[in-house]
Amino acid sequence: MQTEEYRGPKPRKNWIADWVSKNDDVARSLPIYTGGFSLLAVLFNRAIFGIAPVTDASSSQSRADLLALGLAVTNVLTGLVWLSIRPKSISKVEPEGMECHWISPYLPDTVVSELEWFWQSLSDVTCCRSLVIVYDGICILQVGVAAESSSGDGAETVDAAKLIHGALCEGIMKSGAQNYLANLSLYPSKSELPFLPPNTQAVVLQPLGDKGIAVIGGDTIRGFTNADQAWISLIGDKLDATLMKSLTRTESLAQNTG
Amino acid sequence: MSALGGNLLLPLNVPIAVRAKCCCYLPATAPLKTRRNQRRAWKLWAQSDHFRQSTISQQQVNLSVLRFTFGIPWLDESYLPRLIGYGFGSLILLNHFIGSNSPVPSAQLVSEALGLSLAAFSVTLPVVGKFLRGATTEELTTLPERAQQIFVMSENISDNLKEDLAWTSYVLLCNTKSLSVLIYLQHVLCVRGYWKVPEDLLKDEILNWFIGQITKFGLVDVKDALYFPQSTGSMLEGAIPDGTGSILIQPVPGKGKENIAGFVLLASSISYAYGDKDRLWIQAIANKFRGETRNTDSELS
């Protein structure tokens, strides 16, 4: 609710947009039904009035019928195109594991709040259910759903050294580019990510400069859109800058005191 | 990103002049090759693209599509039903007034009424198609005329906040179809992009001028997101560039549940610039400043 102090214009409601987005399937089929019904109506009209079912260009009746048929066919074809390009909906898979929320206690507050914001954004906007960040050789964050440890006591911890030296991360560090495993089950390298729930559907591996990596697990195959990937990439750069600054400050503090 | 995969080019012979292309884009495919014979049969190249994971640049979900186009660069095929509706509807009217004997028989009147209704329905189809799930606008943003590109920020704020404001305004301009960004957080202002600023205004006066515009509309009291997808009305009419298509105002939450600490305003030259996903991300970016406002408060006190 706006207070009385807001004096600007109010957005106008777009009824068509609202109706179409809530009734996508009906909207897609509407031209087909309209066109089909019109085709039958033209023939029925001819039958009712006893007009012979022949096309005669000199007859204005036939010309009107032909034009109506042409429009009906246009509608049917449009409906068929809309149905053929309907996006396939893929259902999400509940990750098997346990909830965890661990952030390194040695990080300054500013870094912790930025990491928390990153996790909150990913979980609110995307299909992300697990997030692990490794920076400068150590795991600094593990939140969301994690795999249960083989010993049965808590979540599977992240072996940062093993992750960094694995083929997946080495490739990403070398290229410096994000890697999106849209259907994780097809990739044998998923064994390098044992801390993620075993039924994680998709993973985005975002390098954080040349010192870290963010592993983002999702619950839907191809669940991360291109927009999500673009945002993750830009936020990754920001995180790298923040973590690098924090690292530099820590090192200089250690030098001064040491 | 890896290149598009699974690109098959299949030659077909059909007696109609069409050209097949990939559904959303016009990649550097081979131009239409025609071979005219007495029957004017043209060689038709059908191109099927099977999109995979991150190789799609604009679609939200993967799908296999086969669509045909006329290959005319300026013609948007989604508007074809509208053109056919106008054309055939005009012919029906012409047939009624010129091509038929008076009095017009009832059967013809029924056919014409049906035809005109169908024509009207066909004209509205592109509008409906724009809002279907997965439909993306291919409209490109245009640079506004009579607007300046500026980047101004409040002074006397911490370096951290300066960095965050600079980064946020940059990513919002980069990752959305925005041309103008304004971030306001309790007396702290960051304005970036194309804005219609009076020419005689000095650099030091720009921020105060914007604060005056914000106060005039009471934007600091906006509690819910406001989205103007088409007509922007009088919203910041003194500052928003001419021809702005859509405006989004996203409040920045404050410390308490009811408190609002500021807002993020985005403007684009195209209509319906911000889809559902865009708005979610913009909301997430605005939430970043929830923590920042605590720092601002302590600096100002």
Side-chain angles (χ1 to χ4, degrees):
Chain A
M1 287 286 290
Q2 309 300 334
T3 67
E4 289 171 6
E5 294 187 29
Y6 171 66
R7 290 179 289 280
K10 303 274 189 313
R12 279 184 290 182
K13 205 167 169 61
N14 189 327
W15 300 103
I16 297 178
D18 288 342
W19 184 84
V20 172
S21 27
K22 286 176 190 158
N23 302 281
D24 189 80
D25 290 336
V26 171
R28 283 181 195 272
S29 320
L30 198 57
I32 295 179
Y33 290 119
T34 309
F37 170 76
S38 306
L39 273 166
L40 294 172
V42 165
L43 296 172
F44 188 69
N45 180 48
R46 278 199 161 228
I48 288 286
F49 285 96
I51 302 166
V54 291
T55 311
D56 177 11
S58 62
S59 152
S60 55
Q61 171 69 46
S62 294
R63 287 196 293 266
D65 284 342
L66 276 174
L67 289 169
L69 284 175
L71 285 164
V73 166
T74 301
N75 277 282
V76 168
L77 289 176
T78 303
L80 287 174
V81 168
W82 284 0
L83 282 178
S84 73
I85 61 169
R86 176 170 30 198
K88 191 170 134 188
S89 56
I90 302 170
S91 49
K92 57 167 101 173
V93 173
E94 198 58 36
E96 293 164 2
M98 55 185 298
E99 289 282 344
C100 72
H101 192 98
W102 180 87
I103 302 178
S104 169
Y106 304 107
L107 294 171
D109 289 344
T110 48
V111 175
V112 170
S113 67
E114 188 142 314
L115 291 174
E116 293 269 18
W117 165 76
F118 184 40
W119 161 244
Q120 195 63 48
S121 303
L122 285 176
S123 52
D124 286 347
V125 183
T126 71
C127 64
C128 168
R129 298 296 299 273
S130 316
L131 174 64
V132 164
I133 295 180
V134 169
Y135 198 81
D136 200 29
I138 55 168
C139 174
I140 61 169
L141 178 140
Q142 184 179 14
V143 296
V145 184
E148 287 191 32
S149 72
S150 45
S151 57
D153 57 342
E156 177 79 26
T157 53
V158 178
D159 186 343
K162 194 176 171 188
L163 176 68
I164 292 289
H165 291 112
L168 258 182
C169 288
E170 276 190 348
I172 289 159
M173 293 304 198
K174 199 173 171 186
S175 66
Q178 185 189 89
N179 195 357
Y180 177 30
L181 309 179
N183 189 349
L184 190 60
S185 60
L186 302 178
Y187 293 88
S189 47
K190 67 183 265 192
S191 58
E192 296 182 29
L193 309 169
F195 44 84
L196 290 180
N199 61 345
T200 298
Q201 300 296 293
V203 163
V204 173
L205 297 154
Q206 174 64 42
L208 304 177
D210 52 5
K211 281 189 175 289
I213 186 165
V215 181
I216 305 161
D219 60 9
T220 310
I221 291 177
R222 295 185 212 101
F224 293 100
T225 64
N226 294 306
D228 294 337
Q229 290 172 250
W231 282 106
I232 289 169
S233 178
L234 283 171
I235 295 173
D237 293 340
K238 177 74 167 70
L239 273 182
D240 174 46
T242 305
L243 288 165
M244 178 66 83
K245 209 190 325 181
S246 162
L247 196 67
T248 313
R249 234 180 248 154
T250 312
E251 283 172 355
S252 66
L253 265 174
Q255 279 174 4
N256 288 340
T257 53
Chain B
M1 273 196 186
S2 51
L4 290 169
N7 205 341
L8 305 171
L9 213 59
L10 313 167
L12 300 170
N13 278 313
V14 289
I16 44 173
V18 294
R19 174 183 173 182
K21 72 167 185 179
C22 151
C23 75
C24 285
Y25 331 102
L26 202 54
T29 55
L32 179 64
K33 289 180 185 171
T34 64
R35 190 181 61 211
R36 295 190 178 188
N37 58 21
Q38 283 179 342
R39 289 175 55 211
R40 291 183 179 267
W42 290 18
K43 195 160 196 173
L44 167 73
W45 296 88
Q47 192 167 355
S48 163
D49 279 348
H50 180 68
F51 297 98
R52 290 181 204 162
Q53 44 196 49
S54 59
T55 61
I56 306 165
S57 63
Q58 285 194 7
Q59 299 246 349
Q60 295 289 339
V61 293
N62 283 329
L63 43 94
S64 297
V65 172
L66 184 71
R67 281 177 68 180
F68 294 88
T69 77
F70 288 102
I72 303 170
W74 49 264
L75 180 64
D76 182 359
E77 278 77 20
S78 63
Y79 282 86
L80 219 49
R82 176 171 287 177
L83 297 175
I84 293 173
Y86 282 137
F88 280 36
S90 308
L91 288 173
I92 289 172
L93 288 171
L94 202 66
N95 181 57
H96 177 82
F97 289 112
I98 298 174
S100 51
N101 306 321
S102 55
V104 178
S106 307
Q108 186 176 332
L109 283 174
V110 171
S111 293
E112 286 171 355
L114 191 63
L116 287 173
S117 305
L118 275 174
F121 185 70
S122 301
V123 164
T124 61
L125 283 180
V127 174
V128 174
K130 211 165 37 173
F131 302 115
L132 293 173
R133 199 160 43 99
T136 53
T137 173
E138 292 182 33
E139 206 177 334
L140 297 173
T141 51
T142 51
L143 293 180
E145 295 170 6
R146 293 190 300 273
Q148 299 175 40
Q149 199 173 5
I150 60 173
F151 182 17
V152 292
M153 203 187 302
S154 297
E155 293 170 14
N156 302 322
I157 56 176
S158 69
D159 288 343
N160 279 342
L161 187 54
K162 269 191 197 162
E163 246 177 56
D164 283 346
L165 287 170
W167 176 81
T168 303
S169 54
Y170 167 73
V171 296
L172 287 170
L173 287 171
C174 235
N175 254 11
T176 64
K177 297 184 184 99
S178 307
L179 287 175
S180 322
V181 173
L182 187 150
I183 305 171
Y184 178 83
L185 300 166
Q186 291 176 351
H187 316 295
V188 174
L189 192 60
C190 173
V191 183
R192 196 168 184 173
Y194 286 91
W195 292 90
K196 198 169 68 179
V197 179
E199 284 179 9
D200 54 350
L201 213 57
L202 296 172
K203 199 178 170 184
D204 299 335
E205 294 166 348
I206 290 179
L207 283 174
N208 287 335
W209 183 80
F210 271 102
I211 289 180
Q213 294 288 316
I214 290 167
T215 311
K216 182 177 161 191
F217 286 91
L219 286 177
V220 291
D221 295 306
V222 168
K223 290 207 175 345
D224 299 315
L226 291 177
Y227 179 37
F228 298 84
Q230 262 188 314
S231 166
T232 59
S234 59
M235 176 59 70
L236 282 182
E237 57 192 343
I240 292 284
D242 297 334
T244 294
S246 19
I247 291 179
L248 173 66
I249 302 171
Q250 178 64 50
V252 173
K255 293 176 192 175
K257 272 189 183 175
E258 295 297 320
N259 288 354
I260 296 296
F263 63 90
V264 173
L265 185 148
L266 299 167
S268 172
S269 59
I270 62 174
S271 305
Y272 296 96
Y274 307 107
D276 292 340
K277 181 67 87 161
D278 291 319
R279 280 183 274 160
L280 284 172
W281 270 114
I282 291 164
Q283 186 179 14
I285 295 291
N287 288 344
K288 186 179 194 319
F289 290 105
R290 184 186 271 168
E292 295 281 357
T293 54
R294 289 192 211 117
N295 297 337
T296 314
D297 283 349
S298 60
E299 283 155 18
L300 292 175
S301 62

